[in-house]
PDB file of all heavy atoms in Angstrom:
ATOM      1  N   LEU A1282     -38.365   4.126  37.372  1.00  0.00           N
ATOM      2  CA  LEU A1282     -38.226   5.299  38.338  1.00  0.00           C
ATOM      3  C   LEU A1282     -36.870   5.852  38.219  1.00  0.00           C
ATOM      4  O   LEU A1282     -36.573   6.945  38.691  1.00  0.00           O
ATOM      5  CB  LEU A1282     -38.433   4.718  39.759  1.00  0.00           C
ATOM      6  CG  LEU A1282     -39.917   4.381  40.120  1.00  0.00           C
ATOM      7  CD1 LEU A1282     -39.899   3.710  41.446  1.00  0.00           C
ATOM      8  CD2 LEU A1282     -40.775   5.671  40.037  1.00  0.00           C
ATOM      9  N   GLY A1283     -35.842   5.147  37.556  1.00  0.00           N
ATOM     10  CA  GLY A1283     -34.570   5.665  37.270  1.00  0.00           C
ATOM     11  C   GLY A1283     -33.606   5.744  38.431  1.00  0.00           C
ATOM     12  O   GLY A1283     -32.594   6.528  38.555  1.00  0.00           O
ATOM     13  N   LEU A1284     -33.821   4.824  39.412  1.00  0.00           N
ATOM     14  CA  LEU A1284     -32.892   4.810  40.556  1.00  0.00           C
ATOM     15  C   LEU A1284     -31.637   3.979  40.230  1.00  0.00           C
ATOM     16  O   LEU A1284     -31.599   2.850  39.726  1.00  0.00           O
ATOM     17  CB  LEU A1284     -33.581   4.048  41.720  1.00  0.00           C
ATOM     18  CG  LEU A1284     -34.782   4.836  42.468  1.00  0.00           C
ATOM     19  CD1 LEU A1284     -35.499   3.838  43.310  1.00  0.00           C
ATOM     20  CD2 LEU A1284     -34.225   5.948  43.268  1.00  0.00           C
ATOM     21  N   ASP A1285     -30.527   4.790  40.313  1.00  0.00           N
ATOM     22  CA  ASP A1285     -29.227   4.066  40.107  1.00  0.00           C
ATOM     23  C   ASP A1285     -28.821   3.367  41.356  1.00  0.00           C
ATOM     24  O   ASP A1285     -29.520   3.510  42.396  1.00  0.00           O
ATOM     25  CB  ASP A1285     -28.135   5.038  39.604  1.00  0.00           C
ATOM     26  CG  ASP A1285     -27.748   6.100  40.572  1.00  0.00           C
ATOM     27  OD1 ASP A1285     -28.170   6.022  41.797  1.00  0.00           O
ATOM     28  OD2 ASP A1285     -27.276   7.054  40.185  1.00  0.00           O
ATOM     29  N   SER A1286     -27.717   2.636  41.338  1.00  0.00           N
ATOM     30  CA  SER A1286     -27.349   1.820  42.554  1.00  0.00           C
ATOM     31  C   SER A1286     -27.148   2.708  43.756  1.00  0.00           C
ATOM     32  O   SER A1286     -27.423   2.317  44.816  1.00  0.00           O
ATOM     33  CB  SER A1286     -26.147   0.884  42.188  1.00  0.00           C
ATOM     34  OG  SER A1286     -25.082   1.666  41.852  1.00  0.00           O
ATOM     35  N   PHE A1287     -26.498   3.836  43.590  1.00  0.00           N
ATOM     36  CA  PHE A1287     -26.193   4.738  44.715  1.00  0.00           C
ATOM     37  C   PHE A1287     -27.456   5.288  45.349  1.00  0.00           C
ATOM     38  O   PHE A1287     -27.635   5.224  46.538  1.00  0.00           O
ATOM     39  CB  PHE A1287     -25.306   5.930  44.273  1.00  0.00           C
ATOM     40  CG  PHE A1287     -25.027   6.830  45.372  1.00  0.00           C
ATOM     41  CD1 PHE A1287     -24.120   6.509  46.436  1.00  0.00           C
ATOM     42  CD2 PHE A1287     -25.693   7.988  45.406  1.00  0.00           C
ATOM     43  CE1 PHE A1287     -23.822   7.367  47.428  1.00  0.00           C
ATOM     44  CE2 PHE A1287     -25.384   8.900  46.549  1.00  0.00           C
ATOM     45  CZ  PHE A1287     -24.475   8.626  47.526  1.00  0.00           C
ATOM     46  N   ALA A1288     -28.410   5.725  44.502  1.00  0.00           N
ATOM     47  CA  ALA A1288     -29.701   6.170  45.007  1.00  0.00           C
ATOM     48  C   ALA A1288     -30.465   5.189  45.556  1.00  0.00           C
ATOM     49  O   ALA A1288     -31.201   5.353  46.637  1.00  0.00           O
ATOM     50  CB  ALA A1288     -30.491   6.868  43.706  1.00  0.00           C
ATOM     51  N   LEU A1289     -30.492   3.867  45.075  1.00  0.00           N
ATOM     52  CA  LEU A1289     -31.148   2.742  45.699  1.00  0.00           C
ATOM     53  C   LEU A1289     -30.604   2.468  47.055  1.00  0.00           C
ATOM     54  O   LEU A1289     -31.426   2.295  48.015  1.00  0.00           O
ATOM     55  CB  LEU A1289     -31.076   1.545  44.752  1.00  0.00           C
ATOM     56  CG  LEU A1289     -31.849   0.324  45.200  1.00  0.00           C
ATOM     57  CD1 LEU A1289     -33.317   0.562  45.265  1.00  0.00           C
ATOM     58  CD2 LEU A1289     -31.585  -0.880  44.209  1.00  0.00           C
ATOM     59  N   ILE A1290     -29.342   2.453  47.250  1.00  0.00           N
ATOM     60  CA  ILE A1290     -28.782   2.202  48.581  1.00  0.00           C
ATOM     61  C   ILE A1290     -29.095   3.315  49.541  1.00  0.00           C
ATOM     62  O   ILE A1290     -29.564   2.961  50.679  1.00  0.00           O
ATOM     63  CB  ILE A1290     -27.231   1.923  48.411  1.00  0.00           C
ATOM     64  CG1 ILE A1290     -27.059   0.609  47.724  1.00  0.00           C
ATOM     65  CG2 ILE A1290     -26.594   1.874  49.790  1.00  0.00           C
ATOM     66  CD1 ILE A1290     -25.547   0.392  47.387  1.00  0.00           C
ATOM     67  N   SER A1291     -28.982   4.442  49.112  1.00  0.00           N
ATOM     68  CA  SER A1291     -29.398   5.530  49.996  1.00  0.00           C
ATOM     69  C   SER A1291     -30.762   5.579  50.377  1.00  0.00           C
ATOM     70  O   SER A1291     -31.125   5.749  51.559  1.00  0.00           O
ATOM     71  CB  SER A1291     -29.032   6.941  49.345  1.00  0.00           C
ATOM     72  OG  SER A1291     -27.767   7.082  48.999  1.00  0.00           O
ATOM     73  N   MET A1292     -31.648   5.282  49.442  1.00  0.00           N
ATOM     74  CA  MET A1292     -33.121   5.035  49.722  1.00  0.00           C
ATOM     75  C   MET A1292     -33.396   3.961  50.680  1.00  0.00           C
ATOM     76  O   MET A1292     -34.176   4.183  51.595  1.00  0.00           O
ATOM     77  CB  MET A1292     -33.846   4.826  48.380  1.00  0.00           C
ATOM     78  CG  MET A1292     -35.336   4.837  48.564  1.00  0.00           C
ATOM     79  SD  MET A1292     -36.244   4.419  47.132  1.00  0.00           S
ATOM     80  CE  MET A1292     -35.866   2.687  47.017  1.00  0.00           C
ATOM     81  N   LEU A1293     -32.680   2.811  50.514  1.00  0.00           N
ATOM     82  CA  LEU A1293     -32.942   1.689  51.398  1.00  0.00           C
ATOM     83  C   LEU A1293     -32.598   1.973  52.807  1.00  0.00           C
ATOM     84  O   LEU A1293     -33.079   1.590  53.735  1.00  0.00           O
ATOM     85  CB  LEU A1293     -32.159   0.447  50.873  1.00  0.00           C
ATOM     86  CG  LEU A1293     -32.801  -0.120  49.539  1.00  0.00           C
ATOM     87  CD1 LEU A1293     -31.923  -1.289  49.109  1.00  0.00           C
ATOM     88  CD2 LEU A1293     -34.166  -0.667  49.798  1.00  0.00           C
ATOM     89  N   LEU A1294     -31.400   2.805  52.955  1.00  0.00           N
ATOM     90  CA  LEU A1294     -31.033   3.258  54.318  1.00  0.00           C
ATOM     91  C   LEU A1294     -32.186   4.064  54.939  1.00  0.00           C
ATOM     92  O   LEU A1294     -32.465   3.923  56.133  1.00  0.00           O
ATOM     93  CB  LEU A1294     -29.737   4.015  54.292  1.00  0.00           C
ATOM     94  CG  LEU A1294     -28.568   3.202  53.931  1.00  0.00           C
ATOM     95  CD1 LEU A1294     -27.291   4.092  53.756  1.00  0.00           C
ATOM     96  CD2 LEU A1294     -28.203   2.109  55.040  1.00  0.00           C
ATOM     97  N   GLU A1295     -32.794   4.917  54.216  1.00  0.00           N
ATOM     98  CA  GLU A1295     -33.860   5.792  54.797  1.00  0.00           C
ATOM     99  C   GLU A1295     -35.081   4.954  55.077  1.00  0.00           C
ATOM    100  O   GLU A1295     -35.760   5.100  56.051  1.00  0.00           O
ATOM    101  CB  GLU A1295     -34.220   6.828  53.751  1.00  0.00           C
ATOM    102  CG  GLU A1295     -35.267   7.819  54.227  1.00  0.00           C
ATOM    103  CD  GLU A1295     -35.522   9.001  53.311  1.00  0.00           C
ATOM    104  OE1 GLU A1295     -34.756   9.219  52.468  1.00  0.00           O
ATOM    105  OE2 GLU A1295     -36.623   9.632  53.585  1.00  0.00           O
ATOM    106  N   ILE A1296     -35.302   3.953  54.192  1.00  0.00           N
ATOM    107  CA  ILE A1296     -36.467   2.959  54.495  1.00  0.00           C
ATOM    108  C   ILE A1296     -36.231   2.172  55.764  1.00  0.00           C
ATOM    109  O   ILE A1296     -37.127   2.022  56.552  1.00  0.00           O
ATOM    110  CB  ILE A1296     -36.687   2.033  53.281  1.00  0.00           C
ATOM    111  CG1 ILE A1296     -37.237   2.840  52.075  1.00  0.00           C
ATOM    112  CG2 ILE A1296     -37.539   0.878  53.626  1.00  0.00           C
ATOM    113  CD1 ILE A1296     -37.203   2.102  50.727  1.00  0.00           C
ATOM    114  N   GLU A1297     -34.942   1.726  55.893  1.00  0.00           N
ATOM    115  CA  GLU A1297     -34.586   1.065  57.170  1.00  0.00           C
ATOM    116  C   GLU A1297     -34.919   1.920  58.424  1.00  0.00           C
ATOM    117  O   GLU A1297     -35.482   1.383  59.368  1.00  0.00           O
ATOM    118  CB  GLU A1297     -33.141   0.671  57.168  1.00  0.00           C
ATOM    119  CG  GLU A1297     -32.843  -0.579  56.216  1.00  0.00           C
ATOM    120  CD  GLU A1297     -31.353  -0.924  56.370  1.00  0.00           C
ATOM    121  OE1 GLU A1297     -30.525  -0.071  56.518  1.00  0.00           O
ATOM    122  OE2 GLU A1297     -31.106  -2.074  56.041  1.00  0.00           O
ATOM    123  N   ASP A1298     -34.487   3.125  58.387  1.00  0.00           N
ATOM    124  CA  ASP A1298     -34.723   4.033  59.496  1.00  0.00           C
ATOM    125  C   ASP A1298     -36.243   4.317  59.645  1.00  0.00           C
ATOM    126  O   ASP A1298     -36.788   4.329  60.794  1.00  0.00           O
ATOM    127  CB  ASP A1298     -33.982   5.358  59.217  1.00  0.00           C
ATOM    128  CG  ASP A1298     -32.565   5.213  59.451  1.00  0.00           C
ATOM    129  OD1 ASP A1298     -32.049   4.225  60.011  1.00  0.00           O
ATOM    130  OD2 ASP A1298     -31.789   6.128  58.908  1.00  0.00           O
ATOM    131  N   GLY A1299     -36.935   4.616  58.575  1.00  0.00           N
ATOM    132  CA  GLY A1299     -38.290   4.935  58.541  1.00  0.00           C
ATOM    133  C   GLY A1299     -39.326   3.735  59.022  1.00  0.00           C
ATOM    134  O   GLY A1299     -40.245   4.047  59.707  1.00  0.00           O
ATOM    135  N   PHE A1300     -38.855   2.553  58.604  1.00  0.00           N
ATOM    136  CA  PHE A1300     -39.779   1.390  59.006  1.00  0.00           C
ATOM    137  C   PHE A1300     -39.204   0.587  60.123  1.00  0.00           C
ATOM    138  O   PHE A1300     -39.879  -0.431  60.521  1.00  0.00           O
ATOM    139  CB  PHE A1300     -39.990   0.593  57.715  1.00  0.00           C
ATOM    140  CG  PHE A1300     -40.881   1.253  56.735  1.00  0.00           C
ATOM    141  CD1 PHE A1300     -40.489   2.050  55.698  1.00  0.00           C
ATOM    142  CD2 PHE A1300     -42.272   0.987  56.774  1.00  0.00           C
ATOM    143  CE1 PHE A1300     -41.295   2.573  54.732  1.00  0.00           C
ATOM    144  CE2 PHE A1300     -43.126   1.564  55.863  1.00  0.00           C
ATOM    145  CZ  PHE A1300     -42.590   2.375  54.874  1.00  0.00           C
ATOM    146  N   GLY A1301     -37.950   0.813  60.554  1.00  0.00           N
ATOM    147  CA  GLY A1301     -37.430   0.067  61.728  1.00  0.00           C
ATOM    148  C   GLY A1301     -37.129  -1.341  61.199  1.00  0.00           C
ATOM    149  O   GLY A1301     -37.322  -2.320  62.055  1.00  0.00           O
ATOM    150  N   VAL A1302     -36.755  -1.560  60.075  1.00  0.00           N
ATOM    151  CA  VAL A1302     -36.257  -2.819  59.585  1.00  0.00           C
ATOM    152  C   VAL A1302     -34.760  -2.820  59.109  1.00  0.00           C
ATOM    153  O   VAL A1302     -34.280  -1.764  58.920  1.00  0.00           O
ATOM    154  CB  VAL A1302     -37.168  -3.372  58.345  1.00  0.00           C
ATOM    155  CG1 VAL A1302     -38.561  -3.449  58.726  1.00  0.00           C
ATOM    156  CG2 VAL A1302     -36.987  -2.354  57.177  1.00  0.00           C
ATOM    157  N   GLU A1303     -34.190  -4.019  58.933  1.00  0.00           N
ATOM    158  CA  GLU A1303     -32.883  -4.163  58.457  1.00  0.00           C
ATOM    159  C   GLU A1303     -32.989  -4.893  57.133  1.00  0.00           C
ATOM    160  O   GLU A1303     -33.549  -6.025  57.016  1.00  0.00           O
ATOM    161  CB  GLU A1303     -31.934  -4.766  59.348  1.00  0.00           C
ATOM    162  CG  GLU A1303     -30.542  -4.896  58.933  1.00  0.00           C
ATOM    163  CD  GLU A1303     -29.608  -5.463  59.909  1.00  0.00           C
ATOM    164  OE1 GLU A1303     -29.913  -5.317  61.138  1.00  0.00           O
ATOM    165  OE2 GLU A1303     -28.551  -6.046  59.505  1.00  0.00           O
ATOM    166  N   ILE A1304     -32.352  -4.280  56.034  1.00  0.00           N
ATOM    167  CA  ILE A1304     -32.402  -4.931  54.767  1.00  0.00           C
ATOM    168  C   ILE A1304     -30.953  -5.245  54.347  1.00  0.00           C
ATOM    169  O   ILE A1304     -30.187  -4.419  54.066  1.00  0.00           O
ATOM    170  CB  ILE A1304     -32.942  -3.933  53.696  1.00  0.00           C
ATOM    171  CG1 ILE A1304     -34.352  -3.574  54.084  1.00  0.00           C
ATOM    172  CG2 ILE A1304     -32.930  -4.618  52.309  1.00  0.00           C
ATOM    173  CD1 ILE A1304     -34.970  -2.411  53.251  1.00  0.00           C
ATOM    174  N   PRO A1305     -30.593  -6.558  54.440  1.00  0.00           N
ATOM    175  CA  PRO A1305     -29.256  -6.998  54.148  1.00  0.00           C
ATOM    176  C   PRO A1305     -28.941  -6.754  52.622  1.00  0.00           C
ATOM    177  O   PRO A1305     -29.820  -6.881  51.822  1.00  0.00           O
ATOM    178  CB  PRO A1305     -29.208  -8.515  54.484  1.00  0.00           C
ATOM    179  CG  PRO A1305     -30.583  -8.858  54.998  1.00  0.00           C
ATOM    180  CD  PRO A1305     -31.497  -7.668  54.841  1.00  0.00           C
ATOM    181  N   ASN A1306     -27.685  -6.531  52.331  1.00  0.00           N
ATOM    182  CA  ASN A1306     -27.291  -6.288  50.968  1.00  0.00           C
ATOM    183  C   ASN A1306     -27.537  -7.451  50.053  1.00  0.00           C
ATOM    184  O   ASN A1306     -27.881  -7.200  48.925  1.00  0.00           O
ATOM    185  CB  ASN A1306     -25.754  -5.924  51.011  1.00  0.00           C
ATOM    186  CG  ASN A1306     -25.449  -4.641  51.502  1.00  0.00           C
ATOM    187  OD1 ASN A1306     -26.302  -3.725  51.626  1.00  0.00           O
ATOM    188  ND2 ASN A1306     -24.214  -4.448  51.892  1.00  0.00           N
ATOM    189  N   TYR A1307     -27.502  -8.659  50.513  1.00  0.00           N
ATOM    190  CA  TYR A1307     -27.724  -9.790  49.586  1.00  0.00           C
ATOM    191  C   TYR A1307     -29.126  -9.886  49.080  1.00  0.00           C
ATOM    192  O   TYR A1307     -29.333 -10.631  48.071  1.00  0.00           O
ATOM    193  CB  TYR A1307     -27.361 -11.141  50.354  1.00  0.00           C
ATOM    194  CG  TYR A1307     -28.165 -11.597  51.380  1.00  0.00           C
ATOM    195  CD1 TYR A1307     -29.301 -12.323  51.203  1.00  0.00           C
ATOM    196  CD2 TYR A1307     -27.811 -11.201  52.829  1.00  0.00           C
ATOM    197  CE1 TYR A1307     -30.140 -12.697  52.258  1.00  0.00           C
ATOM    198  CE2 TYR A1307     -28.555 -11.681  53.827  1.00  0.00           C
ATOM    199  CZ  TYR A1307     -29.700 -12.349  53.549  1.00  0.00           C
ATOM    200  OH  TYR A1307     -30.511 -12.781  54.633  1.00  0.00           O
ATOM    201  N   VAL A1308     -30.148  -9.166  49.683  1.00  0.00           N
ATOM    202  CA  VAL A1308     -31.488  -9.264  49.115  1.00  0.00           C
ATOM    203  C   VAL A1308     -31.781  -8.065  48.235  1.00  0.00           C
ATOM    204  O   VAL A1308     -32.777  -8.085  47.532  1.00  0.00           O
ATOM    205  CB  VAL A1308     -32.509  -9.266  50.286  1.00  0.00           C
ATOM    206  CG1 VAL A1308     -32.367 -10.400  51.161  1.00  0.00           C
ATOM    207  CG2 VAL A1308     -32.564  -7.897  51.012  1.00  0.00           C
ATOM    208  N   LEU A1309     -30.750  -7.165  47.969  1.00  0.00           N
ATOM    209  CA  LEU A1309     -31.036  -6.053  47.020  1.00  0.00           C
ATOM    210  C   LEU A1309     -31.426  -6.470  45.644  1.00  0.00           C
ATOM    211  O   LEU A1309     -32.262  -5.831  45.031  1.00  0.00           O
ATOM    212  CB  LEU A1309     -29.833  -5.158  46.962  1.00  0.00           C
ATOM    213  CG  LEU A1309     -29.504  -4.394  48.375  1.00  0.00           C
ATOM    214  CD1 LEU A1309     -28.289  -3.570  48.164  1.00  0.00           C
ATOM    215  CD2 LEU A1309     -30.680  -3.591  48.765  1.00  0.00           C
ATOM    216  N   PRO A1310     -30.755  -7.538  45.091  1.00  0.00           N
ATOM    217  CA  PRO A1310     -31.149  -7.878  43.700  1.00  0.00           C
ATOM    218  C   PRO A1310     -32.685  -8.343  43.607  1.00  0.00           C
ATOM    219  O   PRO A1310     -33.041  -8.413  42.526  1.00  0.00           O
ATOM    220  CB  PRO A1310     -30.231  -9.049  43.279  1.00  0.00           C
ATOM    221  CG  PRO A1310     -28.979  -8.741  44.269  1.00  0.00           C
ATOM    222  CD  PRO A1310     -29.638  -8.279  45.457  1.00  0.00           C
ATOM    223  N   ASN A1311     -33.275  -8.725  44.677  1.00  0.00           N
ATOM    224  CA  ASN A1311     -34.705  -9.168  44.759  1.00  0.00           C
ATOM    225  C   ASN A1311     -35.562  -8.078  44.501  1.00  0.00           C
ATOM    226  O   ASN A1311     -36.843  -8.315  44.177  1.00  0.00           O
ATOM    227  CB  ASN A1311     -34.978  -9.934  46.018  1.00  0.00           C
ATOM    228  CG  ASN A1311     -34.174 -11.177  46.172  1.00  0.00           C
ATOM    229  OD1 ASN A1311     -33.677 -11.765  45.274  1.00  0.00           O
ATOM    230  ND2 ASN A1311     -33.933 -11.479  47.559  1.00  0.00           N
ATOM    231  N   PHE A1312     -35.192  -6.785  44.693  1.00  0.00           N
ATOM    232  CA  PHE A1312     -36.153  -5.638  44.596  1.00  0.00           C
ATOM    233  C   PHE A1312     -36.161  -5.089  43.171  1.00  0.00           C
ATOM    234  O   PHE A1312     -35.243  -4.265  42.838  1.00  0.00           O
ATOM    235  CB  PHE A1312     -35.718  -4.530  45.550  1.00  0.00           C
ATOM    236  CG  PHE A1312     -35.756  -4.956  46.921  1.00  0.00           C
ATOM    237  CD1 PHE A1312     -34.713  -4.725  47.867  1.00  0.00           C
ATOM    238  CD2 PHE A1312     -36.612  -5.873  47.613  1.00  0.00           C
ATOM    239  CE1 PHE A1312     -34.712  -5.001  49.202  1.00  0.00           C
ATOM    240  CE2 PHE A1312     -36.639  -6.296  48.818  1.00  0.00           C
ATOM    241  CZ  PHE A1312     -35.606  -5.818  49.677  1.00  0.00           C
ATOM    242  N   GLN A1313     -37.070  -5.672  42.315  1.00  0.00           N
ATOM    243  CA  GLN A1313     -37.176  -5.085  41.043  1.00  0.00           C
ATOM    244  C   GLN A1313     -38.241  -4.032  40.867  1.00  0.00           C
ATOM    245  O   GLN A1313     -38.177  -3.131  40.122  1.00  0.00           O
ATOM    246  CB  GLN A1313     -37.464  -6.341  39.994  1.00  0.00           C
ATOM    247  CG  GLN A1313     -36.415  -7.390  39.994  1.00  0.00           C
ATOM    248  CD  GLN A1313     -35.023  -6.780  39.583  1.00  0.00           C
ATOM    249  OE1 GLN A1313     -34.872  -6.098  38.637  1.00  0.00           O
ATOM    250  NE2 GLN A1313     -34.006  -7.086  40.370  1.00  0.00           N
ATOM    251  N   THR A1314     -39.287  -4.247  41.690  1.00  0.00           N
ATOM    252  CA  THR A1314     -40.399  -3.261  41.666  1.00  0.00           C
ATOM    253  C   THR A1314     -40.637  -2.745  42.987  1.00  0.00           C
ATOM    254  O   THR A1314     -40.239  -3.319  44.000  1.00  0.00           O
ATOM    255  CB  THR A1314     -41.688  -3.965  41.135  1.00  0.00           C
ATOM    256  OG1 THR A1314     -42.108  -5.016  41.994  1.00  0.00           O
ATOM    257  CG2 THR A1314     -41.478  -4.598  39.703  1.00  0.00           C
ATOM    258  N   LEU A1315     -41.546  -1.787  43.118  1.00  0.00           N
ATOM    259  CA  LEU A1315     -41.964  -1.140  44.365  1.00  0.00           C
ATOM    260  C   LEU A1315     -42.726  -2.283  45.137  1.00  0.00           C
ATOM    261  O   LEU A1315     -42.568  -2.413  46.355  1.00  0.00           O
ATOM    262  CB  LEU A1315     -42.862  -0.041  44.178  1.00  0.00           C
ATOM    263  CG  LEU A1315     -43.460   0.663  45.326  1.00  0.00           C
ATOM    264  CD1 LEU A1315     -42.406   1.207  46.264  1.00  0.00           C
ATOM    265  CD2 LEU A1315     -44.395   1.723  44.985  1.00  0.00           C
ATOM    266  N   LYS A1316     -43.493  -3.128  44.561  1.00  0.00           N
ATOM    267  CA  LYS A1316     -44.137  -4.130  45.210  1.00  0.00           C
ATOM    268  C   LYS A1316     -43.225  -5.157  45.842  1.00  0.00           C
ATOM    269  O   LYS A1316     -43.521  -5.651  47.008  1.00  0.00           O
ATOM    270  CB  LYS A1316     -45.100  -4.941  44.132  1.00  0.00           C
ATOM    271  CG  LYS A1316     -46.032  -5.914  44.634  1.00  0.00           C
ATOM    272  CD  LYS A1316     -46.865  -6.612  43.614  1.00  0.00           C
ATOM    273  CE  LYS A1316     -47.733  -7.625  44.213  1.00  0.00           C
ATOM    274  NZ  LYS A1316     -48.541  -8.298  43.062  1.00  0.00           N
ATOM    275  N   ASP A1317     -42.134  -5.460  45.155  1.00  0.00           N
ATOM    276  CA  ASP A1317     -41.141  -6.385  45.806  1.00  0.00           C
ATOM    277  C   ASP A1317     -40.605  -5.770  47.076  1.00  0.00           C
ATOM    278  O   ASP A1317     -40.546  -6.538  48.083  1.00  0.00           O
ATOM    279  CB  ASP A1317     -39.978  -6.641  44.819  1.00  0.00           C
ATOM    280  CG  ASP A1317     -40.331  -7.271  43.597  1.00  0.00           C
ATOM    281  OD1 ASP A1317     -41.344  -7.980  43.590  1.00  0.00           O
ATOM    282  OD2 ASP A1317     -39.558  -7.173  42.622  1.00  0.00           O
ATOM    283  N   LEU A1318     -40.285  -4.525  47.027  1.00  0.00           N
ATOM    284  CA  LEU A1318     -39.800  -3.859  48.206  1.00  0.00           C
ATOM    285  C   LEU A1318     -40.802  -3.801  49.338  1.00  0.00           C
ATOM    286  O   LEU A1318     -40.555  -4.045  50.456  1.00  0.00           O
ATOM    287  CB  LEU A1318     -39.318  -2.479  47.792  1.00  0.00           C
ATOM    288  CG  LEU A1318     -38.590  -1.636  48.875  1.00  0.00           C
ATOM    289  CD1 LEU A1318     -37.405  -2.379  49.433  1.00  0.00           C
ATOM    290  CD2 LEU A1318     -38.182  -0.258  48.227  1.00  0.00           C
ATOM    291  N   TYR A1319     -42.013  -3.451  49.011  1.00  0.00           N
ATOM    292  CA  TYR A1319     -43.045  -3.416  50.020  1.00  0.00           C
ATOM    293  C   TYR A1319     -43.342  -4.705  50.609  1.00  0.00           C
ATOM    294  O   TYR A1319     -43.609  -4.837  51.831  1.00  0.00           O
ATOM    295  CB  TYR A1319     -44.354  -2.833  49.360  1.00  0.00           C
ATOM    296  CG  TYR A1319     -45.469  -2.547  50.306  1.00  0.00           C
ATOM    297  CD1 TYR A1319     -45.365  -1.441  51.126  1.00  0.00           C
ATOM    298  CD2 TYR A1319     -46.573  -3.380  50.379  1.00  0.00           C
ATOM    299  CE1 TYR A1319     -46.387  -1.205  52.068  1.00  0.00           C
ATOM    300  CE2 TYR A1319     -47.515  -3.189  51.353  1.00  0.00           C
ATOM    301  CZ  TYR A1319     -47.495  -2.070  52.183  1.00  0.00           C
ATOM    302  OH  TYR A1319     -48.439  -1.840  52.985  1.00  0.00           O
ATOM    303  N   SER A1320     -43.357  -5.771  49.882  1.00  0.00           N
ATOM    304  CA  SER A1320     -43.549  -7.184  50.291  1.00  0.00           C
ATOM    305  C   SER A1320     -42.569  -7.506  51.387  1.00  0.00           C
ATOM    306  O   SER A1320     -42.806  -8.280  52.352  1.00  0.00           O
ATOM    307  CB  SER A1320     -43.675  -8.176  49.165  1.00  0.00           C
ATOM    308  OG  SER A1320     -44.749  -7.952  48.320  1.00  0.00           O
ATOM    309  N   TYR A1321     -41.294  -7.137  51.105  1.00  0.00           N
ATOM    310  CA  TYR A1321     -40.140  -7.411  51.991  1.00  0.00           C
ATOM    311  C   TYR A1321     -40.415  -6.704  53.336  1.00  0.00           C
ATOM    312  O   TYR A1321     -40.192  -7.330  54.383  1.00  0.00           O
ATOM    313  CB  TYR A1321     -38.849  -7.053  51.434  1.00  0.00           C
ATOM    314  CG  TYR A1321     -37.635  -7.468  52.320  1.00  0.00           C
ATOM    315  CD1 TYR A1321     -37.129  -8.813  52.261  1.00  0.00           C
ATOM    316  CD2 TYR A1321     -37.053  -6.634  53.212  1.00  0.00           C
ATOM    317  CE1 TYR A1321     -36.112  -9.176  52.970  1.00  0.00           C
ATOM    318  CE2 TYR A1321     -36.062  -7.044  54.082  1.00  0.00           C
ATOM    319  CZ  TYR A1321     -35.599  -8.330  53.995  1.00  0.00           C
ATOM    320  OH  TYR A1321     -34.570  -8.720  54.815  1.00  0.00           O
TER     321      TYR A1321
END
């Protein structure tokens, strides 16, 4: 998908707002695929 670290962090902030969840920074390396992110 070509997400660099800045785009990934920006996207995660939007996901937090859109889904009403909090995603701590320490779990970011766990998100390799869309499925990983969706599972979280």
Side-chain angles (χ1 to χ4, degrees):
L1282 291 173
L1284 291 166
D1285 61 18
S1286 58
F1287 179 74
L1289 183 60
I1290 290 171
S1291 297
M1292 182 186 73
L1293 290 175
L1294 290 173
E1295 186 174 342
I1296 289 169
E1297 286 180 332
D1298 289 342
F1300 286 90
V1302 297
E1303 186 173 328
I1304 303 172
N1306 289 339
Y1307 68 87
V1308 299
L1309 295 181
N1311 297 333
F1312 303 140
Q1313 300 301 313
T1314 66
L1315 176 61
K1316 185 178 179 182
D1317 295 337
L1318 185 55
Y1319 186 75
S1320 294
Y1321 184 85

